[in-house]
Amino acid sequence: MGHSVETRPARVTFHAERQDTASEGWRHLLMLIEEAAADGRTVFKPFVELSAEERRQIVTLPPTIATLTKVEHLVLYGTNLVRIPPEIGAMASLEVFEPYTSHRLHWYPYELTRCTRLRDSTVSTRALYGNFKHRPPFPSLRPLTTATEADFRQLDPGVWGADRVNACSVCGEPVDSELHQAWISLGVATDVLPLLVNACSAACLAAIPPGHSGYVKTPHHGGTDLAQPRARGI
C-alpha cells in the first residue's frame, strides 16, 4: 500500500492470498490453539512455537480462536498475517493485543470492538489504511452485495477482504440476503484502527459509532477518491 505519498500506488486492494489449510503450519497452529483452550492459559504466543517455514504459511488465524476465552494477552509479533478473522471478537478476556511488526495487517475486523476488556495494543501504525501519518487510501468496497451476486460462504478475499462472511459484525445475526460493507476508524485500546464492517443491513451500518477524532467521521466505502483529513507525516 506504500508507507508514504512517494511510494503510494494509484490503487489499493486487499491481499488476495487464501489460507492453505493443508499446510504443516496451519495444522500446527490448530493444535496450539486447541492446547491453549484446554489448559486455559492467559498468554498466547503461537508464532514463537512455529518454525520459520510454518510462520510463512499462515496468512490468517483459524476461526477456532473463538475458543480462547481465557487468553488475556495475544502476541502476533512479526507474522505473515494479512487478515484477522471476526472470531477474535469472542476472546472475551483479551486485555493486551500485540500484532506489532506484522506489516501486512493493514486493517482489523470490526468484531474486535466486542473485546470490551481490551486496554492495551501495539500495532505498526504506518501499515494501517488511513493512518494519520500518511493517510494511505483504503481498498474500495462494494456498498451492497446480494446473495444472488455472491455466495457469502465462498468469497474472494481480494475483493471482500474475507473468504466468507457468516454473521453481521454489528448485531451478530446471520448474513443471508445482503452484505453491506463499510470502513470506520475507531479507537481500540491504545490505537486508532481501520475496521472492516460486514453488516446484514443498512440499519446495522447506521448503528456504527462515529469515526475517531481526526479521521473520517462516517462509515465509508474507501477508494482513492475518499477525502481524508490532512496527514501529519513525520
Side-chain angles (χ1 to χ4, degrees):
M1 63 174 228
H3 292 172
S4 70
V5 173
E6 291 75 17
T7 61
R8 185 173 301 165
R11 178 171 174 262
V12 175
T13 60
F14 288 107
H15 287 287
E17 295 96 320
R18 293 180 182 272
Q19 179 61 55
D20 179 4
T21 57
S23 68
E24 289 292 333
W26 183 257
R27 292 198 294 268
H28 192 176
L29 182 56
L30 287 173
M31 182 189 71
L32 293 173
I33 291 172
E34 184 177 351
E35 291 176 352
D39 63 29
R41 73 188 67 174
T42 59
V43 179
F44 190 44
K45 304 179 180 180
F47 286 85
V48 302
E49 300 188 55
L50 302 179
S51 69
E53 176 59 27
E54 287 176 332
R55 289 194 295 272
R56 285 191 290 269
Q57 295 169 358
I58 305 300
V59 297
T60 188
L61 298 177
T64 53
I65 60 171
T67 64
L68 301 177
T69 56
K70 300 297 184 183
V71 169
E72 300 173 3
H73 187 177
L74 177 61
V75 180
L76 304 174
Y77 190 94
T79 72
N80 196 40
L81 292 170
V82 300
R83 53 188 170 270
I84 302 289
E87 284 80 6
I88 194 171
M91 295 180 65
S93 299
L94 190 62
E95 298 181 3
V96 182
F97 181 47
E98 292 189 274
Y100 189 60
T101 68
S102 289
H103 290 133
R104 304 179 79 210
L105 284 174
H106 308 309
W107 60 276
Y108 293 86
Y110 183 79
E111 286 82 351
L112 191 59
T113 62
R114 296 179 185 172
C115 299
T116 56
R117 296 180 61 182
L118 190 56
R119 55 176 175 76
D120 190 16
S121 57
T122 309
V123 304
S124 296
T125 302
R126 286 181 174 85
L128 301 178
Y129 295 137
N131 73 74
F132 72 92
K133 294 182 178 180
H134 303 297
R135 302 298 187 192
F138 292 74
S140 181
L141 298 175
R142 295 181 60 170
L144 172 63
T145 304
T146 66
T148 59
E149 297 173 297
D151 181 350
F152 301 147
R153 306 301 177 260
Q154 296 183 15
L155 296 173
D156 180 350
V159 176
W160 283 275
D163 57 10
R164 59 182 171 81
V165 173
N166 296 323
C168 177
S169 300
V170 182
C171 71
E173 292 298 314
V175 174
D176 292 326
S177 59
E178 296 181 346
L179 172 61
H180 298 252
Q181 287 195 302
W183 294 109
I184 193 71
S185 296
L186 298 177
V188 178
T190 46
D191 289 285
V192 178
L193 302 180
L195 304 175
L196 178 60
V197 182
N198 292 307
C200 65
S201 66
C204 279
L205 278 187
I208 297 171
H212 194 272
S213 176
Y215 292 78
V216 179
K217 282 296 185 183
T218 58
H220 60 86
H221 302 118
T224 54
D225 294 335
L226 176 70
Q228 299 190 59
R230 178 184 289 273
R232 290 179 279 156
I234 56 175

